[in-house]
Amino acid sequence: MAETDQKTPLSPARRWAAAAVLLLANFMNLIDITIVNVALPSMKNELAAPPNLIEWIVAGYTFSFAILLLPAGRMGDLLGRRKLFVSGIALFTAASLVCGIAPGIGTLVSARIVQGVGAAIMTPQTLALVPRLFPPEQRGAAFGLFALTAGLASVAGPIVGGVLLTADIYGLGWRPIFLVNIPLGIAAFIAALMLVPKGEGNRKLGIDKVGIAIAAVATLALLFPLVEAPSIGWQVWMYPMVIAAPILGWVFIRWQRHQEERNAPQLLPMRLLRSGSFLSGSLLNAALFTAVPSYFFTMALYLQAGYGLTPLQSGLTTTPFPLGVLLASATTGWFGSRWVRWRVMGGGILIATGFAGQLWAIWTMGDTISWWRMAPWFFFGGFGLGNTVSPLFQVSLSAADSNDSGSASGAVQAIRQVGISFGIAIMGGIFFGMLGGAEPGDHEAYRGAMMSAIGYAMVIASVVILTPWFTPMKIERAKD
């Protein structure tokens, strides 16, 4: 199939067609995280698996995905981003097939780990390819669509999972939640070869093997307790890992500085770590994502365990959120790269409004869930998220030059993944702590737990509103 050289200009139609392929792959990865949670009880029953192995269906994917994001982004810089992108799709799709036909829990967990590896290989390339596809004035619209896919995936996962489980296609039970990736993955693979421009990468950048090892150990030391704690509680052995994680992070930065001084390969170039735009954009994005996914995690528990809604009903209750993100994707295209600071602050205000409105709705609903009372606040939150994430992506990735966009993309998404895990641990801890030993269906207990969890989300929304006043929040000159 024909490949486009990196310097060949692309027509507008070709740009957006290629972007659609990237968005499909990104959506396929993101929805696979949320859709699995719905099916865990069915997997446990069919496979007769112990709770600790069932937990690893989620944890194994999370670890392999998060640990490899940064090195996979850098490998895209070295070897070519399209090459890594299609390789990741192929591996993710093959692993999905193995998940769907897995005869036992061991095979399923192993395939999920490999699936996470495939997702980690392809995901950093999606954002890194945006500067290659679009001129600076159109990148805001493209990044807005990535925010849309994140919003859609967070809500669509439970809905699609509920539909597939209820349909019980050919008596396959939970297996179609993985098998549905097969046609999508094949389509994305073929379309990527046809539409995504080829780039040879820059092999002169080299491979920082020591940096990869330090980053992997630091990420695992931080994520392992955060992912395990919500299910088994905080154990004594977790605390040394949490303490070691920032120390290893410091060692990693020192090593990168050492590599820079001797003009040796760097996994995460120091020029990015010195950039106020990269740090402010990526860290604020991570802070935001400590609240949003954990908000939907606790909301699902509130609606399903607290009020008896099915996964499908729970997912449909939250559908105004991705509708808000969808509308925001149109406005971010119009804004382009203008008024970044004010857009982040305004988005934070809308997110805070959505959380505050949800507090009011939960407080006043009593013993019956009212979709109409909750819907406007989901919509406000989604609209705010869409208007916040796009400029944060623009700010972060504008700091990278053409040799480092994969590394920057991998770092942004790795930091965000750590933020998600932090959020689940913290917000989930607040929720379960307030819930205590309450039985499912105890409306008052679940209402109080959900309101307490939203209180944490309100704090994060306040951070999003205030941070642009004190930190660099600008799009740097593109270095293509």
Side-chain angles (χ1 to χ4, degrees):
M1 296 181 184
E3 294 179 341
T4 304
D5 181 78
Q6 193 173 8
K7 296 182 180 179
T8 303
L10 301 175
S11 67
R14 175 73 176 275
R15 285 188 195 125
W16 289 108
V21 178
L22 303 180
L23 291 167
L24 172 61
N26 198 49
F27 180 79
M28 189 167 61
N29 163 46
L30 292 171
I31 197 174
D32 211 69
I33 298 172
T34 56
I35 197 174
V36 169
N37 293 327
V38 177
L40 289 178
S42 298
M43 295 176 187
K44 183 178 185 300
N45 293 334
E46 180 181 329
L47 300 174
N52 62 317
L53 287 181
I54 284 293
E55 172 190 330
W56 272 87
I57 296 173
V58 176
Y61 183 98
T62 301
F63 292 144
S64 60
F65 177 65
I67 289 171
L68 292 175
L69 273 171
L70 184 53
R74 195 55 170 169
M75 293 304 292
D77 294 332
L78 268 71
L79 303 177
R81 294 175 194 114
R82 194 190 75 167
K83 184 182 297 183
L84 268 290
F85 180 64
V86 296
S87 298
I89 292 175
L91 185 59
F92 181 90
T93 305
S96 296
L97 175 60
V98 177
C99 288
I101 63 175
I105 186 64
T107 303
L108 179 56
V109 169
S110 299
R112 280 287 285 172
I113 293 172
V114 176
Q115 199 182 32
V117 173
I121 292 172
M122 71 177 173
T123 299
Q125 320 312 325
T126 58
L127 290 179
L129 282 163
V130 169
R132 167 67 187 94
L133 293 172
F134 296 97
E137 65 274 10
Q138 294 183 358
R139 291 173 191 169
F143 286 130
L145 291 174
F146 279 95
L148 172 61
T149 60
L152 285 174
S154 64
V155 176
I159 297 175
V160 175
V163 169
L164 292 175
L165 286 172
T166 302
D168 192 19
I169 301 170
Y170 297 115
L172 292 173
W174 51 268
R175 297 178 186 274
I177 70 170
F178 297 112
L179 297 176
V180 73
N181 290 331
I182 310 305
L184 294 176
I186 293 173
F189 182 85
I190 295 172
L193 291 177
M194 297 174 61
L195 297 170
V196 176
K198 179 185 177 184
E200 295 301 330
N202 183 359
R203 294 176 184 266
K204 294 180 181 179
L205 295 173
I207 301 175
D208 179 9
K209 296 179 182 179
V210 175
I212 291 174
I214 298 172
V217 175
T219 304
L220 185 62
L222 182 59
L223 283 186
F224 198 91
L226 292 177
V227 172
E228 292 290 291
S231 58
I232 65 174
W234 282 92
Q235 306 296 316
V236 174
W237 56 265
M238 294 180 175
Y239 295 101
M241 296 183 73
V242 173
I243 294 171
I247 298 173
L248 289 167
W250 176 82
V251 172
F252 173 75
I253 293 174
R254 292 290 301 176
W255 175 258
Q256 296 305 290
R257 184 177 298 166
H258 173 69
Q259 292 292 89
E260 180 188 47
E261 290 172 352
R262 52 197 286 261
N263 198 28
Q266 301 170 66
L267 178 60
L268 182 59
M270 284 302 300
R271 59 179 168 272
L272 290 177
L273 293 173
R274 293 192 187 98
S275 167
S277 294
F278 175 79
L279 291 176
S280 61
S282 57
L283 292 176
L284 191 56
N285 184 50
L288 177 59
F289 274 83
T290 66
V292 176
S294 50
Y295 170 62
F296 283 102
F297 168 71
T298 52
M299 182 62 72
L301 294 171
Y302 165 74
L303 294 173
Q304 294 175 40
Y307 283 79
L309 272 64
T310 67
L312 178 59
Q313 291 170 331
S314 173
L316 291 173
T317 301
T318 59
T319 50
F321 188 90
L323 293 178
V325 180
L326 176 62
L327 181 60
S329 67
T331 63
T332 55
W334 181 81
F335 281 123
S337 57
R338 296 173 293 177
W339 309 318
V340 171
R341 185 185 304 271
W342 299 105
R343 287 160 59 196
V344 173
M345 293 172 56
I349 291 171
L350 288 169
I351 293 170
T353 301
F355 288 145
Q358 214 62 263
L359 277 174
W360 169 83
I362 291 170
W363 175 256
T364 58
M365 277 190 301
D367 294 330
T368 304
I369 295 295
S370 170
W371 186 88
W372 292 104
R373 190 165 296 192
M374 301 181 79
W377 312 114
F378 280 125
F379 180 84
F380 275 119
F383 189 69
L385 180 71
N387 276 293
T388 306
V389 171
S390 174
L392 288 178
F393 278 153
Q394 289 177 274
V395 168
S396 301
L397 298 182
S398 70
D401 62 25
S402 58
N403 285 324
D404 297 330
S405 59
S407 183
S409 173
V412 168
Q413 294 180 84
I415 294 169
R416 182 178 69 175
Q417 188 63 35
V418 170
I420 291 172
S421 298
F422 257 112
I424 296 293
I426 295 171
M427 204 161 167
I430 293 171
F431 182 88
F432 287 114
M434 294 299 298
L435 194 62
E439 295 292 326
D442 186 337
H443 295 171
E444 183 175 353
Y446 275 87
R447 184 164 55 243
M450 189 67 229
M451 292 176 67
S452 299
I454 293 177
Y456 168 78
M458 289 286 293
V459 172
I460 296 300
S462 300
V463 171
V464 174
I465 296 169
L466 296 175
T467 299
W469 286 103
F470 306 107
T471 61
M473 196 63 58
K474 62 180 180 179
I475 296 175
E476 298 185 8
R477 185 188 297 267
K479 297 176 279 291
D480 297 324

